[in-house]
Amino acid sequence: MDVIVIETPQLGDRSYLVHDGAVALVIDPQRDTDRVDAVARETGVVITHVAETHLHNDYVTGGYELARAHGAQYLVNVADPVKFDREPVTDGQVIQVGNLSVTVVATPGHTHTHVSYIVSDGTTEAVFSGGSLLFGSVGRTDLVAATDTVGLTHDQYASVRRLVHEAEHDAALFPTHGFGSFCSSGPATGAGSSTIGEQLTANHALTDADEEHFVADLIANLTAYPSYYAHMAPANTQGPGPANLQVPESLDAAELARRLADGEWVVDLRNRVAFSSNHLQGAVSFEYGNGSNFTTYLGWVLPWNEQLTLVGAHADVEDAIRDLSRIGIDSPDAAIGTEPHALAPDAPVASYPRVGWTELLRDRAAGDVLLDTRRTDEFGDSHLLGAMNVPLHELLSRMDDIPAGTIWVHCGSGYRAGVAASLLQRAGRDVVHVDASFGDAEAAGLPMAEQTV
């Protein structure tokens, strides 16, 4: 048995191709299935089975399309209310994939119908746990409905215990979530690998002997998750079609200028330094690359299902189209280029100041607004004295809450503040982008608010 990991760091997830040298099972594939096809070709194996651990909440699956394209059996829980033909699987069922035996284990918690798969070649085992048992923690339990969260958290506690009981201690563990996905909860370690035995001693869901304490603690530490999650499971229930990854023909200058003038969503992919100094008026900044959470924040912040126009270098536009397809944002338009004036000579350009903590401390006037765009849990842990908290994902709906005056906007690293600054300027506000790490603020002399219990 060989397991090939297919990383999607943009969403903090992993997919897997597990094979015996001849035939392969693919588990939890992302929508851009060409990556899986390439791995199968390079490995010289035939994909005969595709399996889902659950109806995903953080991405649109490629499972349906991948199984269709390869004539493979599509393994989906019999209890999932899907609208397509699949090979229904049930708890305890064993499926043969070449020389590999695949055992289905019901592991409700992340969702009601979640399953895990224990794969064995007769000598070694591998556990594919989806959003059940993660490295150091478990998948979050509040994505189905608020009324179900307590029950699902109890289910999660029981499920991971059952899973480790069913598997060998030396079995390698391969979760789908836990690498930055908001589907994780608790202290997921972000480790590269682990085993069932290691989790028995390191995972709080397995070391906490008090179930009620575990349930209360996990729920208390659940944080906000992207709004686009609401659209993922319904799309996956329908059986998503293939992703269109083609870069469209670049818009001409007149059309781009019209879209800006009409207030359409024009997304500038350049780095936030370049954007702050010179950009098309009305465009918004979602810096692509450099480890940014581009996909997550764009899908979380901008209105769902409105036409997007991506502006940037061809390579960035191409990669952004792929990334957005994974969350069901299809067929954005594009204007290829990195020089605002050349892209739309007749459209006005704009800029705003970009500063660090020293400039904030020195130049901020008494009546200016200090805006913290981190999540409420981050703000609650520590924040600057006098700061107002409007999380980035709430900014569009809470513009009227922000007092008049110059707005000095910051976040944890500068990325979210860059997005927020562009949205604020687009709304006609006077803004200064504080592009600095929050961890350096106190050392720079910024007073911190006293923590209250």
Side-chain angles (χ1 to χ4, degrees), residues 219-234:
I219 293 174
N221 286 285
L222 291 170
T223 61
Y225 59 85
S227 56
Y228 68 80
Y229 277 24
H231 305 283
M232 299 299 97

Side-chain angles (χ1 to χ4, degrees), residues 290-314:
N290 296 324
S292 70
N293 290 318
F294 163 81
T295 315
T296 296
Y297 284 116
L298 188 148
W300 198 347
V301 172
L302 296 188
W304 189 254
N305 240 4
E306 292 193 14
Q307 182 64 49
L308 300 180
T309 302
L310 305 179
V311 178
H314 189 281

Side-chain angles (χ1 to χ4, degrees), residues 12-370:
D13 291 322
R14 288 178 173 179
S15 305
Y16 302 97
L17 184 144
V18 52
H19 68 90
D20 65 358
V23 299
L25 163 71
V26 178
I27 298 173
D28 289 346
Q30 292 270 341
R31 194 179 182 198
D32 50 329
T33 57
D34 58 330
R35 295 187 295 156
V36 181
D37 292 334
V39 168
R41 283 195 305 270
E42 293 165 5
T43 310
V45 297
V46 176
I47 297 172
T48 60
H49 294 74
V50 178
E52 303 284 7
T53 57
H54 61 294
L55 293 179
H56 304 284
N57 285 286
D58 63 335
Y59 65 88
V60 175
T61 183
Y64 176 75
E65 179 61 25
L66 186 68
R68 187 201 62 78
H70 288 267
Q73 293 188 48
Y74 190 25
L75 310 181
V76 179
N77 192 335
V78 66
D80 283 324
V82 296
K83 307 298 184 184
F84 51 83
D85 291 334
R86 88 289 204 185
E87 183 66 27
V89 298
T90 59
D91 182 44
Q93 183 177 349
V94 179
I95 300 106
Q96 203 67 28
V97 180
N99 294 322
L100 306 177
S101 296
V102 182
T103 301
V104 181
V105 181
T107 48
H110 188 48
T111 67
H112 289 293
T113 57
H114 191 287
V115 297
S116 299
Y117 300 95
I118 300 175
V119 182
S120 173
D121 63 4
T123 302
T124 59
E125 279 189 355
V127 177
F128 298 89
S129 56
S132 182
L133 185 65
L134 311 182
F135 296 164
S137 190
V138 293
R140 66 188 303 152
T141 56
D142 61 334
L143 298 179
V144 176
T147 54
D148 293 3
T149 299
V150 172
L152 283 169
T153 310
H154 281 285
D155 290 343
Q156 191 75 296
Y157 185 83
S159 288
V160 295
R161 281 166 159 66
R162 182 191 174 199
L163 186 59
V164 299
H165 177 75
E166 297 280 344
E168 300 291 338
H169 281 198
D170 61 355
L173 179 64
F174 297 100
T176 300
H177 305 314
F179 311 98
S181 168
F182 280 86
C183 276
S184 305
S185 66
T189 64
S193 62
S194 189
T195 64
I196 292 296
E198 184 177 42
Q199 292 305 305
L200 279 165
T201 61
N203 193 305
H204 73 123
L206 298 169
T207 59
D208 191 339
D210 185 338
E211 180 173 347
E212 293 299 332
H213 175 268
F214 167 81
V215 169
D217 187 58
L218 186 142
I219 293 174
N221 286 285
L222 291 170
T223 61
Y225 59 85
S227 56
Y228 68 80
Y229 277 24
H231 305 283
M232 299 299 97
N236 291 329
T237 300
Q238 296 298 320
N244 178 8
L245 304 179
Q246 297 300 309
V247 176
E249 183 178 349
S250 184
L251 296 178
D252 62 32
E255 176 59 16
L256 179 58
R258 182 200 65 77
R259 294 185 181 201
L260 289 161
D262 289 350
E264 295 189 17
W265 292 106
V266 176
V267 176
D268 191 321
L269 303 177
R270 296 175 303 153
N271 69 68
R272 57 188 184 264
V273 178
F275 183 91
S276 65
S277 65
N278 183 29
H279 56 266
L280 292 165
Q281 187 171 304
V284 292
S285 174
F286 282 87
E287 177 180 355
Y288 188 82
N290 296 324
S292 70
N293 290 318
F294 163 81
T295 315
T296 296
Y297 284 116
L298 188 148
W300 198 347
V301 172
L302 296 188
W304 189 254
N305 240 4
E306 292 193 14
Q307 182 64 49
L308 300 180
T309 302
L310 305 179
V311 178
H314 189 281
D316 285 345
V317 170
E318 184 175 34
D319 289 343
I321 287 172
R322 176 181 292 272
D323 289 356
L324 293 174
S325 75
R326 295 172 181 149
I327 62 169
I329 297 178
D330 292 322
S331 303
D333 288 328
I336 306 300
T338 57
E339 174 50 52
H341 183 71
L343 284 165
D346 295 330
V349 294
S351 65
Y352 48 72
R354 174 182 158 272
V355 303
W357 295 122
T358 300
E359 292 86 353
L360 169 63
L361 189 62
R362 183 190 66 207
D363 299 334
R364 178 179 165 236
D368 291 350
V369 179
L370 180 57

Side-chain angles (χ1 to χ4, degrees), residues 372 374 377-384 438 448-449 451:
D372 185 334
R374 297 176 301 152
D377 59 296
E378 296 172 279
F379 185 83
D381 287 340
S382 178
H383 61 269
L384 300 179
F438 181 77
M448 308 298 289
Q451 296 300 299

